[in-house]
């Protein structure tokens, strides 16, 4: 379709490419001066598809499924209101109708939960949500039971939506707290920020999180981590850069890390979900591990 923009020029947007995720339109404007905001919203609505079905362990879940409510967690944010130390799990509704106070089954947790505190956000404003439908995004107060990728549903036959991938970090650092008396705040802060997906944290097999290795996609995330631990949890940290460049998760759940034939500069660790993994300093070390351990199955993307 031809779209007329602010300057009167018309551009041809391939809506099929956009709908299949192969093309992303980019708009330029200024929210501060309100320049271009209204045209952007109009074109955004014109280009946006109706709610789509999502694949699950029970097949495709259609948004027009009226009877069973279902949703999946795609983001978690802690301390959005520092005065209350709140934690919100953001969910996309895939099917059915949400009603505040409804009971649902949390598949990964294996138990029923009541969704009594629901909210939607617009900039700094919040409002309570009483009803929502397929395609809507809602925020649910999270007492610490939800993780990214979790499924909730009212279906009598529980199912799970396809997992959300965790991409491999490229920078690694060893992180520990300066004041050992603040161990509790340090561990809580590291775990909560990791559960948000902002960082990935790794530990020695069978160990705790008193000292951890942090993996990030960009080095700026390490600065954000240091700032958040200081301002939100009142914890000062030490950071030591590490030479690792590659990470591979181990799909063999029964593998014995100590029995692996790996190079001396390869490190065996576990993530905060106790999944086994290896850190490598070079591609050559990855090749060594796969050649010397023929039964070892390595993947570079973990699944939430």
């Amino acid at each position: 379709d031809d779209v007329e923009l602010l300057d009167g020029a018309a551009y041809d947007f391939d809506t099929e490419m956009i709908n299949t995720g192969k093309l992303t339109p980019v708009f330029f404007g200024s929210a501060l001066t309100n320049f271009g905001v209204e045209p952007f919203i109009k074109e955004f609505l014109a280009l946006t598809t109706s709610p789509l079905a999502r694949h699950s362990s029970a097949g495709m879940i259609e948004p027009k499924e009226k009877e069973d409510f279902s949703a999946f967690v795609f983001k978690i944010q802690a301390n959005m209101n520092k005065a209350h130390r709140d934690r919100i799990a953001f969910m996309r509704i895939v099917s059915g109708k949400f009603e505040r106070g409804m009971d649902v089954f949390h598949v990964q947790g294996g138990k029923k939960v009541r969704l009594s505190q629901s909210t939607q956000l617009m900039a700094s404003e919040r409002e309570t949500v009483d009803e929502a439908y397929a395609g809507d995004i809602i925020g649910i107060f999270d007492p610490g039971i939800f993780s990214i990728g979790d499924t909730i549903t009212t279906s009598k036959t529980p199912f799970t939506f396809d997992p959300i991938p965790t991409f491999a970090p490229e920078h690694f650092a060893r992180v520990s707290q300066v004041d050992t008396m603040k161990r509790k705040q340090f561990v809580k802060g590291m775990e909560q920020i990791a559960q948000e997906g902002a960082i990935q944290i790794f530990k020695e097999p069978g160990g705790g999180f008193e000292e951890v290795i942090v993996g990030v996609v960009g080095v700026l995330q390490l600065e954000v981590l240091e700032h958040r631990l200081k301002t939100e949890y009142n914890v000062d940290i030490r950071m030591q850069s590490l030479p690792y460049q590659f990470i591979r998760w181990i799909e063999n759940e029964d593998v014995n890390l100590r029995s692996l034939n790996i190079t001396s500069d390869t490190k065996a660790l576990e993530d905060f979900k106790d999944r086994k993994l290896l850190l490598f300093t070079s591609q050559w070390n990855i090749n060594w591990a796969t050649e010397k351990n023929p039964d070892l199955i390595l993947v570079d993307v973990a699944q939430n």
Side-chain angles (χ1 to χ4, degrees):
D1 297 331
D2 287 340
V3 178
E4 186 173 331
L5 302 184
L6 289 176
D7 59 2
Y11 295 85
D12 184 24
F13 285 153
D14 189 329
T15 53
E16 184 177 350
M17 292 280 284
I18 294 173
N19 292 343
T20 55
K22 297 178 181 178
L23 180 68
T24 301
V26 178
F27 294 82
F28 295 89
S30 172
L32 290 176
T33 61
N34 206 35
F35 174 76
V37 174
E38 185 176 348
F40 161 72
I41 292 176
K42 289 181 178 179
E43 302 306 337
F44 177 80
L45 292 174
L47 291 169
T48 302
T49 65
S50 58
L52 302 177
R54 186 171 178 85
H55 193 266
S56 75
S57 58
M60 298 298 292
I61 303 300
E62 297 291 338
K64 295 182 180 180
E65 182 69 39
K66 300 290 186 182
E67 297 181 1
D68 294 328
F69 165 85
S70 66
F72 67 93
V73 179
F74 68 91
K75 178 180 175 62
I76 292 176
Q77 182 70 49
N79 301 327
M80 295 190 70
N81 185 336
K82 296 180 182 178
H84 299 287
R85 291 286 182 181
D86 62 344
R87 174 183 158 112
I88 295 180
F90 290 94
M91 304 177 180
R92 179 186 180 275
I93 301 174
V94 179
S95 66
K97 176 183 177 181
F98 165 82
E99 295 180 320
R100 186 161 65 95
M102 69 188 301
D103 291 323
V104 300
F105 186 71
H106 178 210
V107 180
Q108 282 76 5
K111 61 181 180 181
K112 285 188 175 182
V113 296
R114 174 162 292 183
L115 306 181
S116 55
Q117 299 184 47
S118 53
T119 185
Q120 282 186 332
L121 284 76
M122 175 63 74
S124 61
E125 298 180 2
R126 301 188 188 194
E127 63 179 39
T128 299
V129 176
D130 293 319
E131 296 180 348
Y133 301 86
D136 287 343
I137 303 293
I138 58 173
I140 300 294
F141 171 74
D142 178 18
I145 63 174
F146 294 116
S147 296
I148 294 175
D150 282 4
T151 299
I152 60 172
T153 181
T154 57
S155 173
K156 294 181 180 179
T157 306
F159 56 86
T160 57
F161 287 111
D162 287 356
I164 299 174
T166 298
F167 296 101
E170 299 176 1
H171 305 276
F172 300 88
R174 189 182 303 276
V175 178
S176 61
Q177 72 268 32
V178 173
D179 186 352
T180 57
M181 298 296 291
K182 294 185 177 181
R183 173 187 173 278
K184 184 176 180 180
Q185 296 98 307
F186 173 75
V187 173
K188 181 180 180 181
M190 293 298 293
E191 289 184 339
Q192 286 192 342
I193 296 173
Q195 287 167 351
E196 294 175 13
I199 62 171
Q200 296 181 52
I201 57 176
F202 314 109
K203 62 178 182 177
E204 298 287 346
F209 288 110
E210 294 80 8
E211 181 178 271
V212 298
I213 291 178
V214 173
V216 296
V217 175
V219 292
L220 181 61
Q221 289 173 288
L222 292 174
E223 297 180 19
V224 172
L225 169 65
E226 185 174 16
H227 176 74
R228 289 193 61 186
L229 286 173
K230 176 64 176 178
T231 57
E232 297 178 19
Y233 301 92
N234 194 28
V235 175
D236 292 310
I237 60 173
R238 301 186 190 92
M239 278 197 291
Q240 175 192 359
S241 296
L242 298 175
Y244 306 111
Q245 300 182 41
F246 303 95
I247 183 173
R248 295 293 184 270
W249 281 269
I250 300 174
E251 285 206 331
N252 317 54
E253 295 183 359
D254 58 345
V255 71
N256 184 349
L257 293 178
R258 295 182 179 179
S259 67
L260 290 176
N261 184 349
I262 54 179
T263 60
S264 59
D265 55 349
T266 297
K267 194 166 187 62
L269 296 169
E270 294 176 347
D271 63 15
F272 78 100
K273 291 187 176 182
D274 296 325
R275 295 175 296 198
K276 300 180 178 68
L277 58 97
L278 296 173
L279 297 186
F280 300 95
T281 57
S282 68
Q283 182 63 48
W284 186 89
N285 290 338
I286 299 177
N287 296 337
W288 174 282
T290 54
E291 290 172 5
K292 300 298 182 180
N293 306 274
D295 295 330
L296 185 64
I297 303 175
L298 301 177
V299 295
D300 58 1
V301 177
Q303 302 291 342
N304 280 310

